[in-house]
Each structure stands twice: as structure tokens, then as C-alpha cells.
Amino acid sequence: MLNRVEGTWDWLSAEWFFRSTLNRFDWENPIFLYGVFIIPVLFLLRWLLNFKFVQKLDVAFHKKEIKWHPISLLRFIPDIFLTLSLLLMLVALARPQETNEKVEQWTEGIDIMLVIDISESMQIEDFKPNRLMAAKKVARDFIQGRFQDRIGIVIFSGDAYSLSPLTTDYDLLYAYIDDITGDMIESRGTAIGSALAVATNRMRESESNSKVLILLSDGDNTAGNIDPITAAQLGAAYNIKMYTIGIGKEGRVPFGKDFFGRTTYVENTLDETTLREIANIGEGKFYRVSNNKALEEVFALIDDYEKAEIKETRFRDTTDFYHVYLNWAILSFLIWMLLKSSFMSNVLQD
């Protein structure tokens, strides 16, 4: 396929008239292409004028002497080249072009830390298939909707562990999320304060104008060596905005099956007051969710709230090809000029 006219005579290639070539063009002045329908009208008017005003010579022949000869068709050849010249002129006036547009998108970005509870109670099955698997799915979907934001992951149960630093390598984050299991931390319990402290430590040197922490937990603070409120105040001192999500129902909830395949139940509690206070200190919001759909909706809301402005720069590289068809039009016109004065234009018509 021809992308550029590089040589002096490259315009002579027949490829300029292939459908695939013409289809890839943008047309600066497409209205001229409608002139194709006017050309037959012009030739019809020309024929009518010639029929009425051109002098005719009456010659008498016997009927048996009048025979048609193929050479009489030669008189149409000049008109064919004139028609081609007009058609190619219209194509040139329509300005066929190729435009390559490059779009560069960029944003200042947001630093986001996902703090996910993996304690034993996250295996409770009031969510499908359980709370931890539901949390992993919405975390993955949340990351997929971001653009150039740095995201990190902290997991916690009886202790807190930084699973991933802030990064824009989303494929790496997906791999980390897929590998999360409830037995990654041996210590039992729910160390909410420690998790907040680890996340804050990861974000404290961030120079981003917007730092966001999303804490997802289903229980009370029962482990760790730092109080959740103190940890929240420390995070707020580093301008970290905090969202907290309380996951699960309180009371008697399903917790798997026993040896005989019967569903077992446990009593579940949630310290909603502490989670609300953390969100209040971090100038964020607290959400309480009791099923998969509610959890997905909350992450969608946070995704909408914490969007950086995406800016883009467009570069357009436009190449004109009208001169190719103009050259062909001039060539066709010159051939017509030569032929119209030749014997072809003087072939007798019946």
C-alpha cells in the first residue's frame, strides 16, 4: 500500500485507483465528489447542441452499401480521456488525505492504598462465595478502572503486612490480589490500627496532591499494638483521605459446612463506631455493606469520587494526495488535446 509519494514518478502507479487505497482516504472537500453525477449531464447537453447546430453532410448511398465498421468507435476515445480528466479533477478538488492522529493522555494521578482484612471471619459465607473472595473481586475491578494512579495493598489480620508498595504496574497488583489467602498472616485477630499505621508509613513520603486510603474490614480491633483512632489521626496528619467499609451482617451468619455437610453458623460483630470515627478523622466516608452488590456499588462510588482529571494532547499529521490525481487529470487532458485534433475526431458518424 502506498503511504507516501516519495519519487517523482510514483504517482503513475495504478494502485492509486484501487478501492483499498481510495477507502482509506479522508476527504477535505467531499462535496466535489458529487460532481461525478454532473459530468453525464454536460456530455448530454454537448451532444444535443452538436446534434442541433453542427453542420451535416447528406450523402446518398444504396442501402446495401451502408455497413457498420468497428473503426467508427474510435471517435469516442477522445471523449473518454476528457471524461477521465474531469473525473480526476473532481477527485483532486475533493482533497484526498491521510491523517495520523496521536493522542497522549496524562494525569497528575492519585495515590491509593487498599487495606484489606484477611482475618478468619472473612471466610464467612454471607457473601458469595465468601467475604474475602468478594473483597478481592471488587478490589481487582476497582484497579481496572483507574488510569495512571499509583495503588498499593496492605493486608491484615492479627498483624499487618504491606503486600505491595504504591505502583502503576496494575498487572502486578492483579497477581498479588489473586494470591491473597486467609492464611498469609499467622497471627489471629483483627489489627485495624496496625493496618492503618503500615498504610500511612507507605504513603507518608508520597508527593501526590491526593492520597486516599480504603479500609475494608468485618470486625472489631482485637489485635495489634496501636489504637485505630491514633493511627487514623497519624494518617490525617499526612493528608490521607480515608474511606472505611464495614463488610458483613451482624449476628448469626453461615461459616461453611461441618463433617456431615451441614451449614455451620457463628456469631459476628462489627465495631461500626470505630470505622465511622476513622472515616470522620480522614474526612472520608463510612459505608456498611451486607451483600456482594452493595460492596460493588460502594467501590463504584469511591471510584467516582476519587477521579483525577485526565488531560490529553492530540497530534495530527496530515498528508495530501490531491496532486497525484491532479497529475493524472493533466495527463488525461493532454492526451485528449492530442486526440481531438487527430483523425479519431473526424470519423464519420451515421
Side-chain angles (χ1 to χ4, degrees):
M1 184 174 287
L2 299 173
N3 293 320
R4 294 289 186 273
V5 183
E6 297 177 352
T8 305
W9 301 103
D10 286 350
W11 61 272
L12 286 171
S13 172
E15 192 173 349
W16 295 107
F17 300 97
F18 290 176
R19 177 177 293 183
S20 59
T21 302
L22 294 171
N23 284 343
R24 81 172 192 263
F25 287 143
D26 297 318
W27 302 89
E28 180 72 16
N29 305 310
I31 192 170
F32 284 103
L33 295 176
Y34 292 102
V36 171
F37 301 105
I38 300 175
I39 292 177
V41 177
L42 294 176
F43 275 90
L44 177 61
L45 292 174
R46 179 188 174 206
W47 179 82
L48 291 173
L49 291 172
N50 285 341
F51 182 80
K52 184 173 182 180
F53 297 108
V54 171
Q55 292 183 348
K56 300 178 180 61
L57 177 63
D58 294 327
V59 180
F61 290 97
H62 290 291
K63 187 174 183 180
K64 65 180 180 178
E65 295 176 345
I66 300 176
K67 294 181 180 179
W68 178 83
H69 196 281
I71 199 171
S72 64
L73 295 176
L74 292 176
R75 70 178 186 271
F76 295 112
I77 292 180
D79 286 343
I80 290 173
F81 279 96
L82 178 60
T83 302
L84 285 174
S85 179
L86 293 173
L87 286 172
L88 292 165
M89 188 67 71
L90 289 171
V91 172
L93 289 170
R95 294 277 303 268
Q97 301 174 338
E98 269 191 345
T99 301
N100 296 320
E101 186 174 60
K102 181 181 178 182
V103 180
E104 290 185 356
Q105 290 187 327
W106 57 279
T107 177
E108 293 181 356
I110 299 173
D111 283 351
I112 302 172
M113 190 63 72
L114 299 177
V115 184
I116 302 174
D117 188 346
I118 64 167
S119 61
E120 188 177 11
S121 59
M122 289 293 285
Q123 302 298 324
I124 292 175
E125 297 177 355
D126 52 350
F127 284 66
K128 301 300 179 185
N130 57 46
R131 293 176 178 179
L132 181 57
M133 293 299 291
K136 287 170 60 173
K137 179 181 182 303
V138 294
R140 186 182 177 91
D141 292 343
F142 177 80
I143 293 170
Q144 193 170 19
R146 309 308 295 181
F147 176 76
Q148 292 186 357
D149 295 323
R150 295 199 306 166
I151 300 175
I153 302 173
V154 169
I155 56 174
F156 69 97
S157 56
D159 200 356
Y161 171 65
S162 177
L163 186 63
S164 171
L166 293 166
T167 179
T168 55
D169 187 347
Y170 295 166
D171 289 334
L172 179 65
L173 292 171
Y174 297 148
Y176 279 134
I177 290 173
D178 291 341
D179 291 341
I180 292 176
T181 61
D183 57 2
M184 294 181 73
I185 298 176
E186 293 183 0
S187 303
R188 298 301 178 185
T190 306
I192 295 175
S194 296
L196 292 176
V198 170
T200 298
N201 187 53
R202 278 294 191 182
M203 302 184 78
R204 64 190 177 88
E205 295 181 359
S206 168
E207 296 180 358
S208 173
N209 292 328
S210 183
K211 293 178 280 189
V212 175
L213 183 152
I214 302 173
L215 170 69
L216 190 149
S217 180
D218 69 345
D220 305 333
N221 184 71
T222 59
N225 52 14
I226 184 170
D227 177 67
I229 301 304
T230 302
Q233 292 170 341
L234 180 63
Y238 286 102
N239 298 316
I240 299 174
K241 187 175 184 179
M242 301 179 201
Y243 291 93
T244 56
I245 303 173
I247 182 172
K249 302 173 183 177
E250 286 191 278
R252 198 163 176 261
V253 290
F255 190 67
K257 298 184 181 298
D258 62 15
F259 178 78
F260 300 101
R262 295 174 299 190
T263 301
T264 60
Y265 292 87
V266 296
E267 288 292 327
N268 183 69
T269 59
L270 174 68
D271 186 1
E272 185 174 312
T273 302
T274 298
L275 293 180
R276 285 185 180 278
E277 183 61 21
I278 293 170
N280 184 56
I281 293 170
E283 298 183 352
K285 290 180 180 293
F286 165 76
Y287 299 95
R288 180 69 185 271
V289 295
S290 58
N291 55 58
N292 294 63
K293 185 178 180 184
L295 182 59
E296 291 169 2
E297 290 174 350
V298 166
F299 266 85
L301 279 174
I302 297 174
D303 186 47
D304 286 338
Y305 289 150
E306 302 301 333
K307 283 289 190 185
E309 181 183 0
I310 298 176
K311 303 175 183 178
E312 64 178 34
T313 304
R314 293 178 178 267
F315 303 92
R316 293 175 65 91
D317 178 20
T318 301
T319 304
D320 270 307
F321 294 100
Y322 72 89
H323 54 281
V324 172
Y325 300 96
L326 182 59
N327 288 343
W328 276 102
I330 293 172
L331 178 62
S332 299
F333 183 78
L334 291 175
I335 294 174
W336 173 73
M337 290 286 289
L338 290 172
L339 295 179
K340 81 181 188 70
S341 300
S342 69
F343 74 95
M344 292 184 184
S345 295
N346 296 319
V347 175
L348 292 177
Q349 302 181 35
D350 296 335

